[in-house]
Amino acid sequence: HLLAILLAMSFCNALDETARDADVYRMFSRGKGFVATVKVEKAFRLGILLDFIAMFAILEYYVGWEIVVCFALLLVYMFRIYTTTTALLFDNGSICNYWREELGGKPDADDPYDLSVVVERIHKRAKLSKHEHFNEKFRRSSSFTADGGKAPVGSPLGPLRTRTEGSLRKEGSSSAVDTLQTSAKKRARKHAAINATQEASRRQGGISVAWGAPGGRK
């Protein structure tokens, strides 16, 4: 049981330190993450077996063989329920026990082992993620204006934004460009409204209303 706990703690801590999807994939491929979970399962089962052996010895010493026989029958009944339930789960959902025929699986006739769709989606996601850092930077920048979200002349974001939009349009990701421009316009309008409210407060001789301040607009 101690080995199972230590392995489980190491697995959870390693998984907590993964910062990207690629790190999780690498952990389960190079790091053999699935094998680690199997080791935890085997260690826990071995601990249970040793616990039962110790209980058998104590029961036989104080009570006799009668209680040991009853306990063994109960153990066989529990083991039968466990094996039949887990077999149904793995035989109908496991990638090895159900889907891959070369590993003993028995998939349905209309459900062959094919990961082409999954691989295609992963490639598209990775291709789009290359621009997420820039898109987030543009959305958070206060240098956008309401006339299309372009940075002012001389701003270092201007050429960068132009190159990013050009690459996105070249790759056919027009929706990503439209989303970028729409977010920039909304943010520009939001800042314009805040500035107008603060300017009106100053002219009236009152306290400027800060966004999210106590008593101000939220």
Short mmCIF file of all heavy atoms in Angstrom, two decimals, residues 125-162:
data_model
loop_
_atom_site.label_atom_id
_atom_site.label_comp_id
_atom_site.label_asym_id
_atom_site.label_seq_id
_atom_site.Cartn_x
_atom_site.Cartn_y
_atom_site.Cartn_z
N ARG A 125 -5.25 21.84 -34.45
CA ARG A 125 -5.16 22.55 -33.18
C ARG A 125 -3.75 23.11 -32.97
O ARG A 125 -3.58 24.25 -32.54
CB ARG A 125 -5.53 21.61 -32.03
CG ARG A 125 -5.33 22.18 -30.65
CD ARG A 125 -6.21 23.37 -30.40
NE ARG A 125 -6.01 23.90 -29.07
CZ ARG A 125 -6.51 25.04 -28.64
NH1 ARG A 125 -7.25 25.77 -29.43
NH2 ARG A 125 -6.29 25.44 -27.41
N ALA A 126 -2.74 22.31 -33.28
CA ALA A 126 -1.36 22.77 -33.12
C ALA A 126 -1.06 23.92 -34.08
O ALA A 126 -0.35 24.87 -33.73
CB ALA A 126 -0.40 21.61 -33.38
N LYS A 127 -1.61 23.87 -35.28
CA LYS A 127 -1.38 24.92 -36.26
C LYS A 127 -2.02 26.23 -35.81
O LYS A 127 -1.43 27.31 -35.96
CB LYS A 127 -1.96 24.49 -37.61
CG LYS A 127 -1.59 25.39 -38.78
CD LYS A 127 -2.12 24.81 -40.08
CE LYS A 127 -1.71 25.66 -41.27
NZ LYS A 127 -2.21 25.08 -42.55
N LEU A 128 -3.22 26.15 -35.25
CA LEU A 128 -3.89 27.34 -34.77
C LEU A 128 -3.26 27.89 -33.51
O LEU A 128 -3.23 29.11 -33.29
CB LEU A 128 -5.38 27.03 -34.52
CG LEU A 128 -6.26 28.20 -34.07
CD1 LEU A 128 -6.27 29.29 -35.13
CD2 LEU A 128 -7.67 27.71 -33.79
N SER A 129 -2.72 27.02 -32.66
CA SER A 129 -2.13 27.46 -31.40
C SER A 129 -0.89 28.31 -31.61
O SER A 129 -0.47 29.03 -30.70
CB SER A 129 -1.78 26.24 -30.54
OG SER A 129 -2.93 25.52 -30.20
N LYS A 130 -0.27 28.23 -32.78
CA LYS A 130 0.91 29.05 -33.05
C LYS A 130 0.58 30.53 -32.97
O LYS A 130 1.46 31.34 -32.71
CB LYS A 130 1.47 28.70 -34.42
CG LYS A 130 2.01 27.30 -34.55
CD LYS A 130 2.53 27.05 -35.95
CE LYS A 130 3.05 25.62 -36.09
NZ LYS A 130 3.53 25.35 -37.46
N HIS A 131 -0.67 30.89 -33.23
CA HIS A 131 -1.05 32.30 -33.26
C HIS A 131 -1.79 32.74 -32.01
O HIS A 131 -2.14 33.90 -31.90
CB HIS A 131 -1.93 32.57 -34.48
CG HIS A 131 -1.35 32.07 -35.77
ND1 HIS A 131 -0.25 32.66 -36.35
CD2 HIS A 131 -1.69 31.04 -36.57
CE1 HIS A 131 0.04 32.02 -37.48
NE2 HIS A 131 -0.81 31.03 -37.63
N GLU A 132 -2.06 31.84 -31.07
CA GLU A 132 -2.85 32.21 -29.91
C GLU A 132 -2.13 33.23 -29.03
O GLU A 132 -2.75 34.11 -28.46
CB GLU A 132 -3.19 30.96 -29.10
CG GLU A 132 -4.27 30.11 -29.74
CD GLU A 132 -4.72 28.98 -28.84
OE1 GLU A 132 -4.10 28.81 -27.78
OE2 GLU A 132 -5.68 28.28 -29.21
N HIS A 133 -0.79 33.11 -28.93
CA HIS A 133 -0.05 34.06 -28.11
C HIS A 133 -0.19 35.48 -28.65
O HIS A 133 -0.44 36.43 -27.91
CB HIS A 133 1.43 33.67 -28.06
CG HIS A 133 2.31 34.72 -27.45
ND1 HIS A 133 2.31 34.99 -26.10
CD2 HIS A 133 3.22 35.56 -28.01
CE1 HIS A 133 3.17 35.96 -25.85
NE2 HIS A 133 3.74 36.32 -26.99
N PHE A 134 -0.09 35.62 -29.97
CA PHE A 134 -0.21 36.93 -30.58
C PHE A 134 -1.63 37.45 -30.47
O PHE A 134 -1.85 38.64 -30.19
CB PHE A 134 0.23 36.87 -32.04
CG PHE A 134 1.64 36.41 -32.23
CD1 PHE A 134 1.92 35.13 -32.66
CD2 PHE A 134 2.70 37.26 -31.94
CE1 PHE A 134 3.23 34.71 -32.83
CE2 PHE A 134 4.00 36.85 -32.12
CZ PHE A 134 4.28 35.57 -32.55
N ASN A 135 -2.62 36.59 -30.69
CA ASN A 135 -4.00 37.03 -30.59
C ASN A 135 -4.34 37.54 -29.20
O ASN A 135 -5.02 38.55 -29.05
CB ASN A 135 -4.94 35.88 -30.96
CG ASN A 135 -4.80 35.47 -32.41
OD1 ASN A 135 -4.24 36.21 -33.21
ND2 ASN A 135 -5.29 34.29 -32.75
N GLU A 136 -3.86 36.83 -28.18
CA GLU A 136 -4.13 37.26 -26.81
C GLU A 136 -3.44 38.59 -26.52
O GLU A 136 -3.98 39.45 -25.84
CB GLU A 136 -3.64 36.17 -25.83
CG GLU A 136 -3.98 36.45 -24.37
CD GLU A 136 -5.48 36.40 -24.14
OE1 GLU A 136 -6.20 35.79 -24.95
OE2 GLU A 136 -5.93 36.99 -23.13
N LYS A 137 -2.25 38.77 -27.07
CA LYS A 137 -1.53 40.02 -26.87
C LYS A 137 -2.28 41.18 -27.52
O LYS A 137 -2.37 42.27 -26.95
CB LYS A 137 -0.12 39.90 -27.46
CG LYS A 137 0.78 41.09 -27.13
CD LYS A 137 2.18 40.83 -27.63
CE LYS A 137 3.12 41.98 -27.26
NZ LYS A 137 4.50 41.72 -27.74
N PHE A 138 -2.84 40.95 -28.69
CA PHE A 138 -3.59 42.00 -29.36
C PHE A 138 -4.87 42.32 -28.62
O PHE A 138 -5.26 43.49 -28.50
CB PHE A 138 -3.92 41.57 -30.80
CG PHE A 138 -2.72 41.40 -31.67
CD1 PHE A 138 -2.68 40.41 -32.63
CD2 PHE A 138 -1.61 42.21 -31.52
CE1 PHE A 138 -1.56 40.26 -33.43
CE2 PHE A 138 -0.49 42.06 -32.30
CZ PHE A 138 -0.47 41.07 -33.26
N ARG A 139 -5.56 41.30 -28.12
CA ARG A 139 -6.82 41.55 -27.43
C ARG A 139 -6.62 42.35 -26.16
O ARG A 139 -7.47 43.14 -25.77
CB ARG A 139 -7.51 40.21 -27.10
CG ARG A 139 -8.20 39.56 -28.29
CD ARG A 139 -9.12 38.46 -27.84
NE ARG A 139 -8.41 37.36 -27.25
CZ ARG A 139 -8.02 36.29 -27.94
NH1 ARG A 139 -8.26 36.21 -29.23
NH2 ARG A 139 -7.38 35.30 -27.35
N ARG A 140 -5.50 42.14 -25.47
CA ARG A 140 -5.25 42.84 -24.22
C ARG A 140 -4.60 44.21 -24.40
O ARG A 140 -4.50 44.97 -23.45
CB ARG A 140 -4.35 41.97 -23.32
CG ARG A 140 -5.03 40.68 -22.86
CD ARG A 140 -4.14 39.93 -21.91
NE ARG A 140 -4.80 38.72 -21.43
CZ ARG A 140 -4.26 37.87 -20.55
NH1 ARG A 140 -3.06 38.10 -20.06
NH2 ARG A 140 -4.92 36.80 -20.17
N SER A 141 -4.14 44.50 -25.57
CA SER A 141 -3.45 45.77 -25.80
C SER A 141 -4.46 46.91 -25.83
O SER A 141 -5.54 46.81 -26.38
CB SER A 141 -2.68 45.71 -27.13
OG SER A 141 -2.13 46.98 -27.41
N SER A 142 -4.12 48.02 -25.22
CA SER A 142 -4.98 49.20 -25.20
C SER A 142 -4.71 50.12 -26.37
O SER A 142 -5.26 51.22 -26.43
CB SER A 142 -4.79 49.96 -23.89
OG SER A 142 -3.44 50.38 -23.76
N SER A 143 -3.84 49.74 -27.30
CA SER A 143 -3.48 50.61 -28.41
C SER A 143 -4.41 50.45 -29.60
O SER A 143 -4.20 51.09 -30.62
CB SER A 143 -2.05 50.30 -28.87
OG SER A 143 -1.95 48.96 -29.29
N PHE A 144 -5.46 49.62 -29.49
CA PHE A 144 -6.40 49.46 -30.58
C PHE A 144 -7.40 50.62 -30.61
O PHE A 144 -7.73 51.21 -29.58
CB PHE A 144 -7.17 48.14 -30.44
CG PHE A 144 -6.31 46.94 -30.60
CD1 PHE A 144 -6.10 46.08 -29.53
CD2 PHE A 144 -5.69 46.67 -31.80
CE1 PHE A 144 -5.30 44.97 -29.68
CE2 PHE A 144 -4.90 45.56 -31.95
CZ PHE A 144 -4.70 44.71 -30.89
N THR A 145 -7.88 50.91 -31.78
CA THR A 145 -8.89 51.95 -31.94
C THR A 145 -10.16 51.34 -32.49
O THR A 145 -10.17 50.19 -32.92
CB THR A 145 -8.38 53.03 -32.91
OG1 THR A 145 -8.11 52.41 -34.18
CG2 THR A 145 -7.11 53.65 -32.38
N ALA A 146 -11.22 52.10 -32.50
CA ALA A 146 -12.52 51.57 -32.93
C ALA A 146 -12.66 51.53 -34.44
O ALA A 146 -13.68 51.10 -34.95
CB ALA A 146 -13.64 52.44 -32.34
N ASP A 147 -11.67 51.98 -35.19
CA ASP A 147 -11.79 52.01 -36.65
C ASP A 147 -11.22 50.78 -37.31
O ASP A 147 -10.69 50.84 -38.40
CB ASP A 147 -11.09 53.26 -37.20
CG ASP A 147 -9.62 53.27 -36.82
OD1 ASP A 147 -9.22 52.42 -36.00
OD2 ASP A 147 -8.88 54.12 -37.36
N GLY A 148 -11.31 49.65 -36.63
CA GLY A 148 -10.80 48.42 -37.22
C GLY A 148 -9.76 47.74 -36.36
O GLY A 148 -9.27 46.67 -36.69
N GLY A 149 -9.39 48.37 -35.24
CA GLY A 149 -8.49 47.72 -34.30
C GLY A 149 -7.04 47.77 -34.69
O GLY A 149 -6.26 46.94 -34.27
N LYS A 150 -6.61 48.73 -35.48
CA LYS A 150 -5.23 48.80 -35.90
C LYS A 150 -4.42 49.64 -34.93
O LYS A 150 -4.89 50.64 -34.40
CB LYS A 150 -5.13 49.39 -37.31
CG LYS A 150 -5.79 48.51 -38.37
CD LYS A 150 -5.61 49.11 -39.74
CE LYS A 150 -6.26 48.22 -40.80
NZ LYS A 150 -6.10 48.77 -42.16
N ALA A 151 -3.18 49.25 -34.71
CA ALA A 151 -2.31 49.99 -33.83
C ALA A 151 -1.87 51.27 -34.51
O ALA A 151 -1.80 51.35 -35.74
CB ALA A 151 -1.09 49.14 -33.46
N PRO A 152 -1.57 52.34 -33.75
CA PRO A 152 -1.15 53.59 -34.35
C PRO A 152 0.18 53.46 -35.05
O PRO A 152 0.94 52.52 -34.82
CB PRO A 152 -1.07 54.54 -33.14
CG PRO A 152 -0.86 53.64 -31.97
CD PRO A 152 -1.63 52.40 -32.28
N VAL A 153 0.46 54.46 -35.91
CA VAL A 153 1.71 54.45 -36.65
C VAL A 153 2.89 54.55 -35.68
O VAL A 153 2.87 55.36 -34.75
CB VAL A 153 1.74 55.63 -37.65
CG1 VAL A 153 3.06 55.65 -38.40
CG2 VAL A 153 0.57 55.53 -38.61
N GLY A 154 3.89 53.75 -35.92
CA GLY A 154 5.06 53.75 -35.05
C GLY A 154 4.99 52.75 -33.92
O GLY A 154 5.98 52.53 -33.23
N SER A 155 3.81 52.18 -33.68
CA SER A 155 3.69 51.20 -32.61
C SER A 155 4.33 49.89 -33.03
O SER A 155 4.20 49.46 -34.17
CB SER A 155 2.21 50.96 -32.29
OG SER A 155 2.07 49.89 -31.40
N PRO A 156 5.06 49.24 -32.12
CA PRO A 156 5.69 47.96 -32.48
C PRO A 156 4.68 46.86 -32.76
O PRO A 156 5.01 45.85 -33.36
CB PRO A 156 6.53 47.63 -31.24
CG PRO A 156 5.88 48.37 -30.12
CD PRO A 156 5.35 49.63 -30.74
N LEU A 157 3.41 47.08 -32.32
CA LEU A 157 2.40 46.06 -32.56
C LEU A 157 1.86 46.11 -33.99
O LEU A 157 1.28 45.14 -34.46
CB LEU A 157 1.22 46.23 -31.59
CG LEU A 157 1.51 45.92 -30.12
CD1 LEU A 157 0.28 46.23 -29.30
CD2 LEU A 157 1.92 44.47 -29.95
N GLY A 158 2.01 47.26 -34.66
CA GLY A 158 1.46 47.41 -36.00
C GLY A 158 2.00 46.41 -36.98
O GLY A 158 1.25 45.62 -37.56
N PRO A 159 3.34 46.36 -37.22
CA PRO A 159 3.89 45.38 -38.17
C PRO A 159 3.63 43.95 -37.75
O PRO A 159 3.35 43.09 -38.57
CB PRO A 159 5.39 45.71 -38.16
CG PRO A 159 5.49 47.09 -37.62
CD PRO A 159 4.35 47.25 -36.66
N LEU A 160 3.68 43.70 -36.42
CA LEU A 160 3.46 42.34 -35.93
C LEU A 160 2.04 41.90 -36.21
O LEU A 160 1.78 40.78 -36.65
CB LEU A 160 3.74 42.28 -34.42
CG LEU A 160 3.64 40.89 -33.77
CD1 LEU A 160 4.66 39.95 -34.39
CD2 LEU A 160 3.86 41.01 -32.27
N ARG A 161 1.07 42.82 -35.99
CA ARG A 161 -0.33 42.49 -36.23
C ARG A 161 -0.57 42.25 -37.72
O ARG A 161 -1.29 41.35 -38.12
CB ARG A 161 -1.21 43.63 -35.74
CG ARG A 161 -2.69 43.37 -35.92
CD ARG A 161 -3.47 44.58 -35.41
NE ARG A 161 -4.89 44.30 -35.52
CZ ARG A 161 -5.61 44.45 -36.62
NH1 ARG A 161 -5.01 44.83 -37.73
NH2 ARG A 161 -6.90 44.20 -36.63
N THR A 162 0.08 43.06 -38.56
CA THR A 162 -0.10 42.89 -40.00
C THR A 162 0.43 41.55 -40.47
O THR A 162 -0.22 40.84 -41.25
CB THR A 162 0.63 44.02 -40.75
OG1 THR A 162 0.12 45.28 -40.27
CG2 THR A 162 0.40 43.91 -42.25
#
